Amino acid sequence: GKRMLREALRSGAMKVAAWTIEDVKVSIKGNTAVATGKSTLTNAVFMGDDFSGEYEWSNRFVKQRDGSWRAVSSQSKRVKK
């Protein structure tokens, strides 16, 4: 999750020179929201493997009783290297 990602960046196991986010769209139906978008990672290396490229992603959120949103799932796939 997010904590593992932060830890990998801090330890140097993961390096990303540039990370852009674009075409973000959010749709809300009742207590569920889905955010979709595209990201481009430049000079991205994790544990020695290059994972630079373009990705499409989608994140699903559910509204909690207190009104906050909680992420329940996240998917991404590489579109091109």
Side-chain angles (χ1 to χ4, degrees):
K2 210 177 276 175
R3 193 183 307 123
M4 281 174 56
L5 186 63
R6 271 200 303 265
E7 191 54 46
L9 284 165
R10 195 178 304 121
S11 70
M14 179 171 150
K15 294 182 175 75
V16 180
W19 188 328
T20 65
I21 297 174
E22 56 207 338
D23 295 344
V24 177
K25 295 177 185 67
V26 177
S27 63
I28 299 175
K29 288 193 181 110
N31 287 336
T32 305
V34 177
T36 59
K38 291 180 185 164
S39 291
T40 301
L41 276 60
T42 308
N43 294 335
V45 178
F46 179 66
M47 308 286 273
D49 291 329
D50 186 336
F51 63 99
S52 303
E54 285 182 27
Y55 292 81
E56 290 177 351
W57 49 266
S58 94
N59 297 323
R60 182 179 293 273
F61 300 86
V62 173
K63 196 171 199 174
Q64 306 300 290
R65 285 210 174 105
D66 67 4
S68 65
W69 292 89
R70 185 170 68 90
V72 289
S73 70
S74 179
Q75 295 175 309
S76 67
K77 67 172 191 215
R78 185 185 277 184
V79 194
K80 58 186 177 210
K81 190 165 164 85

